[in-house]
Each structure stands twice: as C-alpha cells, then as structure tokens.
Amino acid sequence: MNRRLRPSPLLAYRVAAGVARALPRPLAAGTAEVVAAGLARTMSGRREMVRRHQRRVRPELSGRALERAVDRVFASYGRYWYESFRVPRLSPADLDGHMSYDGLEWLDQALAAGRGAVLAAPHLGGWDFGGAWLASLGYRLTAVAEPLEPPEMFEWFVALRRAMGMTVVPLGPEAGTAVLGCLRANGVAALVSDRDLVGNGVEVEFFGERTTLPGGPATLSLRTGAPILPTAAYFEPDGGHVAVVGRPLPAERTGRLRDDVTRVTQALATELEALILRAPDQWHLFQPNWPSDHERRR
C-alpha cells in the first residue's frame, strides 16, 4: 500500500538555513519576511492567536489595521529565523557592528556583585542575535529551551544556539539545577518569561487579564540574590538591532517565599508589558497565553 510521505520538519529547517546562509544578506532578509507573511495566510489558528495578542497590546486595532499588524508580526518572525540561521557564521565584529544597546551597565553591575544575573525577556525581536552578541563579548550565557519533537530537531536547535556561544539546557527537571549552577558561577541565565510553558506558573495580571507566568526568574532571584533584569533585543528598520537591559527588579525576601515569588513575578509582568509595548509587531507569541485563549480555541 502506498503511503504519502510527510515532509520532515527538520529537513525543512535545514534547507531554510542553507538558503539563508547562501543568499546575499538583503535578498535573504527580504525573502524570509515575504515567505513568513505569506505563510501567515495559511495558518488560521496561529493567526487568530496573534490577532488576539495584538489587540491586548493595542485595543484600538480592528479591521484592516489589525490584519496589517498581524502580517507584520509574521514578517518579523521570518526575520528572526533568517538571522538565527546566519548568526553562527558572523564574527564578533559583525555582531557588534549591527548592535547598539542601552542599560548594559546594569548587567555589569550585577556581575560585579558576584551573584550572577537573570535576563528575563519576552518572545520579542531577535533574542538569538542578542544572546550571540552578549556571548561574543565574553558573557557566559545559559538559556533554557523548550524541548521539541522529534528529539533530533531539538538537538539541531541546541547545536545552532551552542554555535552562537550559549549553553542550552532543555526545560525539565534538570533545568533548575543547571541554571542555579550558572548563577553560582556568576554567569548569566537568559530566560524567556512571557509564557507559562509547564502550566504551573504564578498567577498575575498581564495586559489587563489574569493568567500565569513562569515563577522561575523570581524564585531564582530570591534564593540566590541574582538580580532580575528585564531585557529585550529589538529589530531596527535598517537591519540593525538595539538591546535594552532594564534596572534590576526589587527582589528582597519580605515573608513567605510563595508570596514573595508572586509579588516579584507581577513586577516582572509589568516590565514585560513595557518592553512589548515598544514594538508590538515584534512580539512572536503564537500560542494561547491566557485562559480565554484556550476557551476560544475550544
């Protein structure tokens, strides 16, 4: 019996990486954004989630203006992948030449205290490019990544980020130990913090609606003394980037650990809102993130 062979997702990513690296930079960048924007028209479920998230950030959007905003999100995501594929081939000079920054002194001050630092970021802009840039400057970064299926695909993505100079650990029971070791060695833990992947996060208000966000950044900070620095790496229209590192969040123990984790996580949610509001069309969140999203999907 003949069976239709399903295309391998890993093969598709490998081919896309090869094309992104082979084409001249302007052509590759433009192609990636056009392809991603075109695919957005075929992904009705993800498009609906992006539409909902964009309206949370900008409630005034509707009709064609909202659809154009959604298209820009997908185009931005195409740029994210194009750059991630090419970053391992860039020299430290290339990375530095395409990056400006604001607030890096907060990271340096944190590391000078000897307790490490937690960079808490949303799924925004070119976070892989930002991580590779920090690694090229000599910062020791450990990032936690969501496991993917099949495992070969996850290993390929891990290898991609390791080539950028980052240590990558899979989200799971061992992740906490690995991140604690990073902080105790005065390293930098890079944690994407605007989505509760495990489902056991801390309840907060986020863009005017109750949901849960991961309590890991707050817990790590309260237990180790490593400050939480809200961080983002934005795309610039000219092909460059700007990294923004915020002031450390207040994270002192005041009572029960659970109460302190809730308080600090809510403070982080407020900072993440501010980072996302600077460039809503670079917010690459395609999954349900609030209880009402899951109800809508059902």
Side-chain angles (χ1 to χ4, degrees):
M1 180 173 57
N2 293 328
R3 293 184 179 180
R4 183 177 298 176
L5 296 178
R6 294 182 179 180
S8 165
L10 178 56
L11 177 61
Y13 278 107
R14 287 183 182 276
V15 170
V19 172
R21 294 165 181 170
L23 292 177
R25 187 175 185 275
L27 179 58
T31 301
E33 293 183 13
V34 170
V35 169
L39 287 174
R41 298 292 178 178
T42 69
M43 299 178 176
S44 59
R46 290 196 172 193
R47 189 175 182 89
E48 172 63 16
M49 283 299 110
V50 173
R51 190 180 291 119
R52 289 175 65 82
H53 299 334
Q54 285 294 297
R55 290 206 64 188
R56 287 187 169 98
V57 182
R58 293 180 286 183
E60 74 279 3
L61 288 179
S62 63
R64 293 182 63 184
L66 176 59
E67 296 308 310
R68 286 193 295 268
V70 173
D71 287 339
R72 288 194 296 270
V73 172
F74 278 90
S76 172
Y77 197 48
R79 177 175 172 180
Y80 162 77
W81 279 113
Y82 145 75
E83 292 189 346
S84 295
F85 291 146
R86 291 176 66 102
V87 159
R89 304 288 182 90
L90 298 180
S91 68
D94 289 330
L95 291 167
D96 199 51
H98 288 88
M99 179 66 80
S100 59
Y101 56 87
D102 179 36
L104 193 61
E105 67 272 11
W106 297 116
L107 178 56
D108 291 333
Q109 289 178 21
L111 297 180
R115 297 180 178 176
V118 177
L119 298 183
H123 289 80
L124 192 69
W127 62 88
D128 274 348
F129 191 100
W133 170 71
L134 285 173
S136 75
L137 296 178
Y139 295 94
R140 292 176 296 154
L141 261 70
T142 295
V144 177
E146 178 183 5
L148 300 173
E149 292 294 338
E152 294 80 8
M153 178 177 288
F154 179 72
E155 289 301 323
W156 186 78
F157 280 112
V158 168
L160 183 70
R161 287 173 172 86
R162 283 176 180 159
M164 301 177 192
M166 294 181 274
T167 299
V168 180
V169 296
L171 179 66
E174 305 300 322
T177 301
V179 174
L180 278 173
C182 162
L183 295 176
R184 286 169 179 163
N186 201 31
V188 180
L191 305 178
V192 181
S193 306
D194 60 341
R195 183 177 168 222
D196 181 13
L197 294 171
V198 179
N200 60 353
V202 178
E203 186 172 331
V204 297
E205 183 170 312
F206 191 38
F207 283 114
E209 189 175 344
R210 303 297 291 181
T211 189
T212 58
L213 292 183
T219 303
L220 289 166
S221 181
L222 290 163
R223 286 183 170 172
T224 67
I228 301 173
L229 308 176
T231 303
Y234 298 98
F235 295 134
E236 293 282 84
D238 61 358
H241 307 74
V242 56
V244 175
V245 181
R247 294 172 177 268
L249 294 181
E252 296 81 17
R253 292 295 303 272
T254 61
R256 292 195 312 163
L257 178 62
R258 178 181 296 181
D259 295 336
D260 288 337
V261 168
T262 299
R263 171 177 52 82
V264 175
T265 304
Q266 180 61 71
L268 175 58
T270 300
E271 294 299 323
L272 294 176
E273 288 177 353
L275 291 171
I276 293 165
L277 283 166
R278 289 181 58 156
D281 54 2
Q282 296 182 29
W283 192 22
H284 307 143
L285 188 63
F286 302 95
Q287 297 81 14
N289 208 44
W290 282 262
S292 63
D293 292 339
H294 295 283
E295 293 168 6
R296 173 72 175 182
R297 175 167 283 188
R298 286 194 296 267

